[in-house]
Amino acid sequence: MFQRSAGSQYKLLAQTLIRRIRDGEYPPGSMLPTENELGQQFNVSRITVRGALRELEVQGLVSRRPGIGTRVESAQPSGNFVHVGNTVDDILRFTRGFRFHTLNIREVDGDEGSARELRLPAGQRFVRVTGLRQAEGAPPVVYSEHHIPPLYADALEQLDGYRASVAEWLAERRGDRVCEIRQEIDAVRLTRAQAALLQTRFSTPTLRTRTWYYGTKKDLIVASVGLFPEGRHLFSTVMRREPIG
């Protein structure tokens, strides 16, 4: 069943588990088999199993707790962002499945609005792409502004409808990859214009992320601001202390 690359194996396993959850084999409230049991059942590595379970977690279908296991939370993906983990791959992965709708593309410099918030060099030119992300039939979950150095800014019209990371798309077009991410998270309130785009109330409490993505040569690929209204984003992480000795 899974005689493919490791990158596609976890996707196939995730699809199989999603189908079984939807069919009622694993109803909400039940526990999935352990990682070892899933690995033996599908003849895949533990890394593949963890990748598949992370995909389900990102979609809001399951929750995972160390020492407890994987619990089914829903038979349908949520319309919210569920941001799990703190690795580069985790951050790049969590936008998957949410379509990017381009609102505007224009040149700006480091002296303008959100460019100043991102501490971009004054006077330096960037191409700013603004957009919304949402699942089918659900309200937008995030309004975002992406400031892109001109080196990376060709063919940006192709972003409309894209369902994965903007930074990853930009890097791949240049034959590069995202190797470092720096992120700051704070709370703000939406302006009237932002609230209208996000289909929510003016001054709604909002999670703001400011994120900088760097390539293999430590050059900036894109600097982004994301606004997530109350109730549309869950940030989840696990921290462990390494044993002494």
Side-chain angles (χ1 to χ4, degrees), residues 48 51 73 80 90 135 151 162 177 184 195 202:
T48 297
E73 300 293 345
N80 300 339
D90 287 337
L151 174 67
Y162 192 60
R177 61 195 296 263
E184 297 177 358
F202 163 61

Side-chain angles (χ1 to χ4, degrees), residues 9-173:
Q9 283 183 344
Y10 90 85
K11 295 178 184 178
L12 287 170
L13 179 55
Q15 290 167 4
T16 298
L17 294 174
I18 290 170
R19 185 169 60 252
R20 293 186 177 186
I21 290 171
R22 288 176 177 170
D23 290 346
E25 183 174 343
Y26 302 118
S30 67
M31 302 296 291
L32 290 184
T34 66
E35 291 181 1
N36 286 338
E37 290 169 344
L38 287 171
Q40 293 172 6
Q41 182 179 348
F42 293 100
N43 193 28
V44 294
S45 70
R46 195 167 185 178
I47 292 175
T48 297
V49 172
R50 287 178 176 174
L53 294 177
R54 186 181 296 113
E55 185 75 15
L56 269 61
E57 192 173 18
V58 165
Q59 295 191 36
L61 296 171
V62 304
S63 63
R64 305 177 67 199
R65 296 292 183 270
I68 298 176
T70 303
R71 183 180 188 271
V72 178
E73 300 293 345
S74 173
Q76 296 293 331
S78 71
N80 300 339
F81 268 121
V82 180
H83 181 175
V84 179
N86 58 359
T87 68
V88 168
D89 288 336
D90 287 337
I91 293 176
L92 293 176
R93 187 181 295 116
F94 92 111
T95 56
R96 187 173 297 150
F98 292 85
R99 182 174 61 86
F100 183 83
H101 171 58
T102 302
L103 298 175
N104 183 264
I105 302 174
R106 72 183 183 91
E107 282 197 7
V108 299
D109 62 37
D111 296 317
E112 295 195 28
S114 56
R116 290 198 305 272
E117 293 176 353
L118 290 163
R119 300 187 289 277
L120 298 176
Q124 184 172 328
R125 304 299 294 176
F126 294 87
V127 178
R128 184 171 67 197
V129 180
T130 60
L132 298 168
R133 282 194 187 267
Q134 62 191 114
E136 296 297 335
V141 291
V142 60
Y143 166 83
S144 57
E145 298 182 355
H146 306 274
H147 295 73
I148 303 162
L151 174 67
Y152 285 92
D154 58 322
L156 289 177
E157 67 281 354
Q158 296 178 21
L159 274 175
D160 192 56
Y162 192 60
R163 293 179 179 270
S165 164
V166 170
E168 198 168 27
W169 182 84
L170 291 166
E172 288 176 353
R173 287 191 60 83

Side-chain angles (χ1 to χ4, degrees), residues 1-14:
M1 177 180 177
F2 291 106
Q3 299 303 312
R4 300 191 182 184
S5 68
S8 63
Q9 283 183 344
Y10 90 85
K11 295 178 184 178
L12 287 170
L13 179 55

